[in-house]
Amino acid sequence: MKILSLCVLLMSAFTTVYAQKTAVKGIITDANKKPLSGANIVLDYTGQGAVSNTRGEYEIVVEVIKESAALSVSMMGYETQTKMVEIKPNEIVRQDFMMELASKML
């Protein structure tokens, strides 16, 4: 029983040490290339997200599970945009968005 417990402990430590993470980051701007603050950004398979800061910047740090994922940006008054991004372990993935005004306002 002690050997089994030791094996499980070592395996979980090994997995934790070698978990590969990456950062997805970029800038959200409007059509005039002005930064947009408060845009919601979500990486689909993780459910993790961020909100752009006053300079339009965002960053999401995730564990790499898939090689590609959909990255969606939404903001009130603008059309939601989704782009596929390639996720590579231990690399920074850069994806900028230029938001377009929504054609319909409620």
Side-chain angles (χ1 to χ4, degrees):
M1 186 64 171
K2 287 182 181 181
I3 292 174
L4 180 60
S5 297
L6 181 60
C7 287
V8 169
L9 180 63
L10 288 174
M11 286 175 52
S12 64
F14 181 80
T15 303
T16 302
V17 170
Y18 288 100
Q20 297 184 353
K21 294 194 176 206
T22 193
V24 179
K25 61 191 324 186
I27 298 176
I28 312 299
T29 60
D30 65 11
N32 297 318
K33 298 186 180 181
K34 292 183 181 177
L36 291 176
S37 174
N40 296 301
I41 304 96
V42 178
L43 194 59
D44 74 343
Y45 77 86
T46 66
Q48 288 182 280
V51 176
S52 60
N53 64 21
T54 56
R55 294 181 304 275
E57 302 166 331
Y58 73 92
E59 181 175 6
I60 305 169
V61 177
V62 294
E63 264 188 46
V64 177
I65 298 172
K66 297 169 72 176
E67 292 181 3
S68 65
L71 184 64
S72 297
V73 179
S74 61
M75 185 171 183
M76 188 178 291
Y78 292 88
E79 297 288 339
T80 297
Q81 291 189 25
T82 302
K83 295 181 181 179
M84 292 302 292
V85 292
E86 296 298 317
I87 308 284
K88 297 178 182 176
N90 304 316
E91 288 189 19
I92 295 173
V93 177
R94 179 140 184 111
Q95 183 62 66
D96 297 335
F97 287 86
M98 185 181 296
M99 303 296 286
E100 296 181 18
L101 288 172
S103 55
K104 272 190 187 178
M105 298 284 289
L106 296 178

